[in-house]
Amino acid sequence: MAASHLFVCIILCIYYSVAHGGDDEHGFVTVLTSRSFQPEAAECSTTRVNLEPSRATVSLPLAHWHGPCAPLQTSEKPSFTERLRRSRARANYIRSRASTRTVSTQAGNDANVTIPAHLGGSVDSLEYVVTMGLGTPPVRQVVLMDTGSDLSWVQCAPCNSTACYPQKDPLFDPSKSSTYAAIPCSAGACRNLTADDYGDGCVTSGGASQCAFAIEYGDGSHTRGVYSKETLTLAPGVTVEDFHFGCADDQEGSNDKYDGLVGLGGAPESLVVQTSSVYGSAFSYCLPAQNSEAGFLALGGAPSANTSGFLFTPMRVEEATFYVVTLTGVSVGGKQLDIPPAVFSQGMIVDSGTVITELPHTAYAALRSAFRSAMSAYPLLPPSEDLDTCYNLTGFSNVTVPTVALTFDGGATMDLDVPNGILLEGCLAFQEAGPDDFPGILGNVNQRTFEVHYDVSHGKVGFRAGAC
């Protein structure tokens, strides 16, 4: 879909409150629109962040490095179609890896740390980023937050323009850190890296044999370099000693000028597992609705007394990395759709990096039909290669949008944010994953404004509405 199809901005301004009844006059929200596309606010806002103070010992409102909360700005941005293409490639790759093999980690204590997260649309993608410090003294690194991968990495000097992509921040220079060390090829950590399919043999530097890593991503890009350890600063005074990460000096693909990536998957290389002795194999995040608003990434488990705002559903870890829940129902406009339970038998992968939620054929067909019926007053655009339910809202002073709710095993229900959790650039933020025996993926648009809490050691995921 071309950029010219950005007909209207649906502003977060609720005309009347959501009603949760089941008859025709309920289950809808009217939102005000403008007659032309309106950019997001130029000023940074943290007023919507609602992190419970007792659940975290550190909370630092850091900014998106290209958003209004940061001094550096950029006008570079790929097309909406290109973003969706990358997201679909990622989703296909994740599905190809997912299986029924599960793993677990040990429980820890209730210590917590919080790092604000911001929507990464301003770094040429619709993913989310956090800011951390690497090395001694710490050097700022703006990294993608990714629940669908494990090994963290940053671009490292020396690396020329043909081997690495340009980024806004200076490259991390290991030679200027007093705590950096390359991991020897003979180390157990290097053998484990190979066992987890991240190993890339050995490289020789200064007469020493160093552990090499390689990562292939779903969009066809790759990252290679030296597996290393360093001090990671999560927030002032909060550090992770000997944090294992990739020091990358060879990049290929459509990367987006961010400094690197922090992996939050379930494998041993992830930040979650590496810090499990301190933060208890638990983390949460809240993805903000707009670039101009802040969210957060929190490491640590919620004390049981402070989970009353969450609705929990059982969760399993598949292929050592992916967090999987079971969807049991979908509602549109307050009405439950007639979808056989067997359609959801392969589960839903909860992913912070995939943009659009993908549902098996029967479930998506039912959702699309109900949503189109509820939006029949507005002109439907011809289907594009990526999305098939997009609207021309030009000339409408307000638009009435049906609510959409996702219900998971155990009864946990996400009443998606209206409109930012349902519509993306005037399009329904869902698409078909494939046949009914395909797993689905819960994309990041649907997750907006929810705190999504992953309690890995207890095998559950919780959702708390209105967290940012």
Side-chain angles (χ1 to χ4, degrees):
M1 186 176 62
S4 61
H5 287 166
L6 306 183
F7 310 97
V8 64
C9 174
I10 300 180
I11 304 172
L12 273 175
C13 183
I14 304 304
Y15 192 67
Y16 61 86
S17 299
V18 182
H20 294 286
D23 55 76
D24 290 341
E25 66 184 63
H26 296 304
F28 292 81
V29 174
T30 299
V31 292
L32 303 181
T33 66
S34 62
R35 295 185 181 275
S36 61
F37 179 76
Q38 295 291 322
E40 291 194 32
E43 297 182 357
C44 174
S45 172
T46 60
T47 57
R48 288 173 60 100
V49 173
N50 179 26
L51 178 66
E52 298 174 10
S54 60
R55 294 193 55 243
T57 58
V58 178
S59 180
L60 186 64
L62 299 178
H64 183 284
W65 72 306
H66 284 313
C69 300
L72 297 177
Q73 304 294 314
T74 180
S75 59
E76 299 177 9
K77 197 173 186 179
S79 69
F80 182 46
T81 298
E82 173 62 15
R83 297 187 214 170
L84 294 179
R85 184 197 66 77
R86 296 183 194 179
S87 178
R88 188 61 183 248
R90 174 189 175 89
N92 290 340
Y93 174 74
I94 288 175
R95 252 193 311 273
S96 73
R97 282 192 55 199
S99 74
T100 58
R101 183 167 64 90
T102 60
V103 299
S104 62
T105 56
Q106 298 298 313
N109 55 32
D110 286 331
N112 305 269
V113 63
T114 302
I115 311 157
H118 297 261
L119 183 59
S122 296
V123 289
D124 303 349
S125 74
L126 287 180
E127 297 176 283
Y128 293 79
V129 298
V130 294
T131 303
M132 299 176 174
L134 190 64
T136 306
V139 177
R140 184 181 76 164
Q141 300 293 305
V142 178
V143 293
L144 288 170
M145 181 186 71
D146 188 6
T147 60
S149 63
D150 306 294
L151 181 60
S152 303
W153 59 267
V154 300
Q155 293 196 129
C156 291
C159 190
N160 61 43
S161 59
T162 60
C164 288
Y165 58 84
Q167 62 181 50
K168 284 289 184 178
D169 290 325
L171 294 175
F172 174 69
D173 189 345
S175 68
K176 295 181 179 179
S177 172
S178 63
T179 48
Y180 172 84
I183 294 175
C185 210
S186 59
C190 190
R191 292 192 295 272
N192 293 339
L193 192 71
T194 300
D196 291 334
D197 296 326
Y198 292 120
D200 195 33
C202 302
V203 294
T204 301
S205 177
S209 182
Q210 300 174 345
C211 186
F213 79 94
I215 308 172
E216 302 290 335
Y217 287 102
D219 62 359
S221 61
H222 74 240
T223 302
R224 298 190 180 106
V226 176
Y227 196 38
S228 310
K229 60 182 179 180
E230 182 58 282
T231 297
L232 178 69
T233 300
L234 300 174
V238 182
T239 61
V240 180
E241 307 297 327
D242 295 329
F243 175 69
H244 288 41
F245 74 106
C247 203
D249 56 14
D250 178 14
Q251 300 277 3
E252 183 176 321
S254 302
N255 292 300
D256 298 321
K257 299 179 178 60
Y258 43 80
D259 301 343
L261 178 146
V262 58
L264 298 175
E269 293 80 12
S270 78
L271 176 64
V272 177
V273 178
Q274 287 194 56
T275 59
S276 61
S277 63
V278 179
Y279 302 120
S281 298
F283 70 99
S284 67
Y285 55 72
C286 184
L287 308 180
Q290 302 185 66
N291 287 0
S292 56
E293 298 170 346
F296 57 83
L297 166 65
L299 297 179
S304 59
N306 293 318
T307 59
S308 58
F310 286 88
L311 298 173
F312 284 95
T313 185
M315 177 268 290
R316 63 186 184 273
V317 180
E318 293 190 354
E319 278 302 292
T321 298
F322 305 116
Y323 302 106
V324 182
V325 296
T326 300
L327 188 67
T328 59
V330 180
S331 298
V332 175
K335 294 183 177 180
Q336 186 81 10
L337 303 181
D338 185 14
I339 303 172
V343 171
F344 303 119
S345 62
Q346 297 302 307
M348 293 281 288
I349 299 166
V350 186
D351 185 40
S352 66
T354 300
V355 178
I356 304 297
T357 290
E358 300 200 356
L359 297 175
H361 169 77
T362 298
Y364 177 67
L367 168 64
R368 178 181 59 187
S369 176
F371 192 85
R372 286 183 174 183
S373 177
M375 293 281 288
S376 60
Y378 309 105
L380 183 68
L381 293 168
S384 71
E385 181 179 350
D386 301 290
L387 299 175
D388 61 11
T389 303
C390 300
Y391 295 91
N392 182 351
L393 303 177
T394 303
F396 293 93
S397 59
N398 57 67
V399 173
T400 301
V401 180
T403 59
V404 176
L406 305 178
T407 300
F408 299 90
D409 186 20
T413 297
M414 297 178 70
D415 293 307
L416 304 184
D417 182 75
V418 182
N420 292 299
I422 298 173
L423 291 169
L424 182 66
E425 310 233 6
C427 299
L428 178 64
F430 291 83
Q431 61 187 173
E432 182 177 324
D436 288 348
D437 59 354
F438 272 42
I441 297 179
L442 180 63
N444 62 38
V445 171
N446 286 180
Q447 298 177 54
R448 290 177 179 180
T449 74
F450 284 87
E451 180 175 6
V452 183
H453 178 76
Y454 298 74
D455 187 346
V456 182
S457 59
H458 294 97
K460 59 183 181 179
V461 169
F463 305 101
R464 181 171 70 92
C468 65

